[in-house]
């Protein structure tokens, strides 16, 4: 027969603290595993962001699209797991794992990556606007002659028709 399910809240109540104090929640094995996994995923995310930032600085812009899915997955994982570790941010176990320092590093790289991607988006919009100007200038609405004037605005002289058959 299956053993009755045990919830972590009940486990915490049954677990004595190491120093006998009650100011910190006792961690279950699953809580400690969550902290370890969370720190590991932060390190993985920082590595991805660092590589993307380096690639952008080196002009390897194809890397942005190549790492997009991977970056999205790890950031979503962190977002979903944050509620599991948040209650323990000030816990001794989190301090031992340098969780706050890892989070600060992650924040720094996210901000730098965001700034670079924002600048790339602005540059792309600027380039697109220039391409549209060139296209419009050379399209039916704006053909220019040798003098630099629009052909439609050029003074109208005698119209000559080639009547050779």
């Amino acid at each position: 027969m299956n053993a009755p399910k045990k919830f972590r809240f009940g486990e915490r109540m049954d677990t004595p603290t190491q120093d006998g104090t009650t100011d910190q929640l006792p961690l279950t094995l699953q809580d400690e595993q969550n902290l370890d996994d969370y720190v590991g995923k932060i390190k993985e995310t920082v590595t991805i962001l660092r590589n993307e930032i380096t690639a952008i600085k080196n002009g390897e812009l194809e890397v942005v699209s190549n790492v997009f899915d991977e970056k999205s997955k790890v950031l979503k994982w962190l977002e979903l797991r944050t509620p599991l570790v948040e209650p323990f941010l000030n816990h001794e176990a989190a301090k031992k794992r340098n969780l706050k320092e890892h989070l600060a590093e992650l924040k720094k790289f996210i901000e730098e990556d965001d700034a670079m991607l924002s600048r790339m988006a602005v540059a792309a919009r600027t380039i697109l606007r220039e391409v549209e100007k060139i296209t419009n200038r050379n399209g039916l609405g704006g053909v220019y002659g040798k003098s630099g004037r629009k052909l439609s605005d050029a003074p109208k002289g005698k119209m000559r028709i080639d009547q050779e058959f």
Side-chain angles (χ1 to χ4, degrees), residues 58-95:
N58 293 334
E60 301 164 4
L61 302 181
E62 69 279 355
V63 170
V64 174
S65 60
N66 294 344
V67 300
F68 179 78
D69 287 336
E70 185 180 9
K71 186 172 62 169
S72 296
K73 285 178 188 172
V74 294
L75 289 171
K76 187 66 170 178
W77 188 96
L78 286 170
E79 179 185 345
L80 293 174
R81 297 292 171 96
T82 296
L84 297 175
V85 298
E86 209 167 24
F88 307 109
L89 283 177
N90 294 318
H91 197 280
E92 195 59 40
K95 289 177 186 170

Side-chain angles (χ1 to χ4, degrees), residues 4 14 44 54 64 120 152:
D14 296 340
E44 180 183 340
T54 302
V64 174
M120 283 178 57
S152 59

Side-chain angles (χ1 to χ4, degrees), residues 123-162:
R125 282 192 296 275
T126 303
I127 291 168
L128 179 62
R129 227 180 358 260
E130 290 301 316
V131 168
E132 286 174 349
K133 281 183 192 177
I134 291 168
T135 303
N136 290 338
R137 188 175 337 159
N138 293 320
L140 293 175
V143 178
Y144 292 84
K146 290 180 184 178
S147 67
R149 287 196 216 156
K150 267 186 157 179
L151 289 180
S152 59
D153 293 343
K156 307 230 188 262
K158 290 184 182 175
M159 194 182 240
R160 294 193 295 190
I161 300 174
D162 188 14

Side-chain angles (χ1 to χ4, degrees), residues 38-55:
Y38 198 77
V39 168
K41 198 58 80 167
I42 288 173
K43 289 178 180 178
E44 180 183 340
T45 307
V46 165
T47 300
I48 292 168
L49 293 171
R50 185 180 289 135
N51 292 341
E52 182 177 38
I53 290 167
T54 302

